Every structure is written in C-alpha cells, then in structure tokens.
C-alpha cells in the first residue's frame, strides 16, 4: 500500500512538472552556429529568439525518421520546406516584425516558436 501511495505522489509530481513547470530550451541567434535538431518528436531548441528587422538563417537537422518530421511549416511566413534525413537544411527567414511565429510539421505534432523582438 505504501508503494502505491509513493508511486501516485511521484506521478502527480511528474504531471505538475510536465504541464506547469517545464520550460523548453531557448536559443538566441547570434550566440554561435546553432542547429535545430528534429528528433524524439520535438524541435530542440523549440523556442528561438530572433532579432527584429534582420533576415536570419535557421539550420535544421532531421534525425527522426517519422514521416511527420519531414515537413517544416511556418504558416505566417508561407514557408513550407522538406527536411532531408540526417542532412543539414538551411532555411532563410526574412526580416520580421516583433511578435511570435509558430513553426511545426504538417500534423502539428512537432512544434516550435520564433520569438521576434
């Protein structure tokens, strides 16, 4: 009975951490040659800070073999790119106004965000 109670408390703690306390890794462009990895059902980092008014280049490396991970969409910018498996893909992003720009796969299972400002 004690084991069940401890397991229940651990599960509750994990749920609280996952839904309310976890913050995705962020990256700020200009801090080196960054690559966004596409693996294990995520983009890593999934939140990217981009300077406003300057075009940038994002580099994606698709390690996942899932068909869903093959397509990258940035709807607000009308960008749709195919990510080759295990090869670096460079995506040109035009100068942007301040705001947030979601990017995702075609089924929106992989998700990320460009934060401009």
């Amino acid at each position: 009975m004690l084991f069940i109670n401890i397991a229940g408390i651990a599960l509750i703690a994990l749920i609280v951490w996952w839904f309310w306390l976890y913050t995705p890794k962020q990256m700020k462009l200009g801090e080196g040659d960054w690559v966004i990895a596409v693996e294990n059902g995520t983009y890593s980092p999934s939140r990217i800070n981009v300077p406003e008014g300057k075009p940038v280049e994002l580099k994606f490396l698709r390690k996942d073999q899932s068909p869903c991970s093959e397509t990258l969409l940035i709807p607000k910018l009308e960008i749709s790119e195919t990510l080759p498996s295990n090869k670096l893909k460079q995506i040109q992003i035009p100068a942007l106004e301040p705001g947030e720009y979601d990017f995702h796969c075609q089924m929106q299972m992989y998700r990320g965000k460009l934060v401009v400002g």
Side-chain angles (χ1 to χ4, degrees):
M1 186 64 124
L2 179 63
F3 175 74
I4 293 173
N5 288 338
I6 292 173
I9 290 171
L11 183 59
I12 290 169
L14 179 64
I15 290 170
V16 167
W17 174 80
W18 181 260
F19 287 103
W20 291 288
L21 302 177
Y22 172 76
T23 55
K25 185 164 66 167
Q26 293 189 37
M27 156 176 104
K28 186 172 185 176
L29 287 180
E31 295 177 349
D33 194 21
W34 292 97
V35 174
I36 301 160
V38 183
E39 63 183 332
N40 301 323
T42 65
Y43 294 112
S44 181
S46 61
R47 198 168 166 86
I48 303 158
N49 296 319
V50 177
E52 73 177 272
K54 294 182 182 179
V56 295
E57 180 179 87
L58 300 179
K59 297 175 184 170
F60 287 82
L61 179 61
R62 178 178 160 231
K63 297 178 181 179
D64 239 338
Q65 298 307 312
S66 164
C68 191
S69 67
E70 186 176 21
T71 303
L72 171 74
L73 301 171
I74 309 176
K76 284 186 179 178
L77 304 179
E78 297 181 2
I79 292 176
S80 176
E81 293 283 343
T82 300
L83 303 177
S85 183
N86 294 312
K87 292 184 182 171
L88 205 59
K89 174 76 174 198
Q90 299 174 347
I91 311 284
Q92 300 299 322
I93 305 295
L96 299 172
E97 297 292 320
E100 294 186 348
Y101 300 80
D102 293 329
F103 60 93
H104 51 78
C105 67
Q106 71 267 17
M107 294 178 63
Q108 298 188 26
M109 293 172 61
Y110 297 71
R111 296 180 192 201
K113 190 174 295 269
L114 296 174
V115 180
V116 181

